[in-house]
């Protein structure tokens, strides 16, 4: 199913589309949440909240088309919601009274979510236009793979060459993003 069909299905609250989204994308969201200190219940809540955020953006005409795969967009929304959830409760221990106080932060602001998602979309759009070698090396560095291992995995003869290659790929990505006509709008 194309992203435009999915957006239209969400717009019309089509059960078939919603079932498709759940069957196709829930497992990856669940895996991410569980790998990042969550439970299956957390994954259910975040997934539903993520779909609702997208639904609200569609209804407000803030989201009319995607410049990435629907899964990428949904994942970024759910990831943002989960990170907000993790930061929502900050537990402080009062050593004098041995009491635990919870300070709750404000619920995530939809405007912030929209801005973050737009930036992520811009990044993904240009990242996917890089050659496969650049995509792979940048992903390895983002995953904090040790430089020596990156050099080995990429078949480079030295760590210095791997660092230089990463630098060049990163510069190419930054240049593409800055030349994008939507760059100023997204970053403002």
């Amino acid at each position: 199913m194309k992203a435009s069909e999915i957006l239209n299905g969400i717009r019309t609250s089509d059960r078939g589309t919603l079932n498709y989204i759940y069957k196709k994308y829930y497992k990856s969201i669940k895996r991410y949440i569980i790998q990042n200190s969550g439970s299956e219940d957390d994954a259910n809540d975040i997934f539903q909240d993520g779909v609702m955020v997208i639904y609200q953006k569609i209804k407000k005409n803030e989201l009319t088309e995607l410049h990435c795969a629907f899964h990428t967009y949904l994942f970024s929304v759910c990831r943002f919601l989960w990170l907000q959830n993790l930061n929502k409760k900050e537990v402080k221990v009062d050593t004098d009274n041995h009491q635990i106080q919870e300070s709750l932060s404000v619920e995530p602001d939809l405007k912030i979510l929209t801005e973050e998602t737009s930036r992520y979309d811009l990044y993904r759009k240009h990242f996917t236009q890089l050659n496969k070698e650049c995509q792979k090396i940048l992903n390895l560095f983002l995953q904090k793979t040790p430089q020596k291992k990156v050099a080995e995995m990429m078949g480079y003869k030295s760590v210095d060459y791997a660092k230089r290659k990463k630098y060049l790929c990163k510069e190419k990505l930054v240049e593409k993003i800055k030349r994008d006509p939507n760059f100023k709008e997204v970053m403002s």
Side-chain angles (χ1 to χ4, degrees):
M1 191 177 272
K2 293 180 184 176
S4 58
E5 295 170 322
I6 293 172
L7 293 180
N8 192 46
I10 293 171
R11 180 180 293 107
T12 61
S13 300
D14 177 63
R15 270 199 197 284
T17 301
L18 298 174
N19 286 334
Y20 173 82
I21 292 168
Y22 182 82
K23 287 178 184 173
K24 185 96 172 150
Y25 307 119
Y26 174 71
K27 285 182 184 177
S28 67
I29 304 294
K30 180 176 121 180
R31 184 173 36 253
Y32 172 78
I33 300 293
I34 290 173
Q35 287 175 347
N36 289 281
S37 307
S39 67
E40 192 165 343
D41 287 340
D42 294 327
N44 284 325
D45 292 342
I46 293 297
F47 185 81
Q48 289 175 7
D49 290 348
V51 173
M52 281 306 299
V53 165
I54 293 171
Y55 173 78
Q56 291 168 351
K57 288 182 71 174
I58 290 170
K59 285 297 186 183
K60 291 179 181 177
N61 284 324
E62 293 174 1
L63 178 62
T64 55
E65 65 178 313
L66 290 176
H67 301 286
C68 62
F70 180 79
H71 178 258
T72 303
Y73 190 79
L74 175 64
F75 189 88
S76 68
V77 170
C78 290
R79 179 181 171 274
F80 180 82
L81 291 172
W82 180 241
L83 293 174
Q84 287 294 314
N85 189 315
L86 289 175
N87 290 325
K88 188 172 154 182
K89 289 186 180 181
E90 181 181 316
V91 179
K92 295 181 179 177
V93 178
D94 181 350
T95 53
D96 296 331
N97 300 332
H98 301 290
Q99 295 175 344
I100 297 177
Q101 303 170 345
E102 289 185 358
S103 66
L104 302 176
S105 68
V106 180
E107 286 296 317
D109 181 16
L110 190 57
K111 184 177 182 203
I112 293 170
L113 176 60
T114 302
E115 290 168 1
E116 289 291 320
T117 304
S118 296
R119 289 179 186 147
Y120 182 73
D121 288 346
L122 185 63
Y123 163 79
R124 289 299 303 170
K125 173 184 170 186
H126 293 287
F127 181 84
T128 58
Q129 292 175 0
L130 293 173
N131 64 44
K132 295 296 179 196
E133 181 184 20
C134 278
Q135 288 181 30
K136 185 174 181 181
I137 196 166
L138 290 176
N139 271 327
L140 289 170
F141 277 101
L142 286 171
Q143 294 167 4
K144 302 203 184 307
T145 306
Q147 293 178 357
K148 186 176 181 182
K149 186 164 178 140
V150 170
E152 291 170 8
M153 291 173 74
M154 296 300 295
Y156 300 148
K157 293 181 181 181
S158 72
V159 171
D160 287 339
Y161 185 78
K163 285 196 271 186
R164 176 79 177 138
K165 193 71 174 162
K166 173 202 154 208
Y167 172 80
L168 293 172
C169 291
K170 184 178 172 186
E171 286 299 306
K172 190 183 297 184
L173 177 60
V174 168
E175 182 182 315
K176 284 176 169 280
I177 291 171
K178 285 183 176 179
R179 281 189 290 160
D180 189 287
N182 297 323
F183 174 73
K184 287 183 181 177
E185 180 184 324
V186 168
M187 297 312 285
S188 62

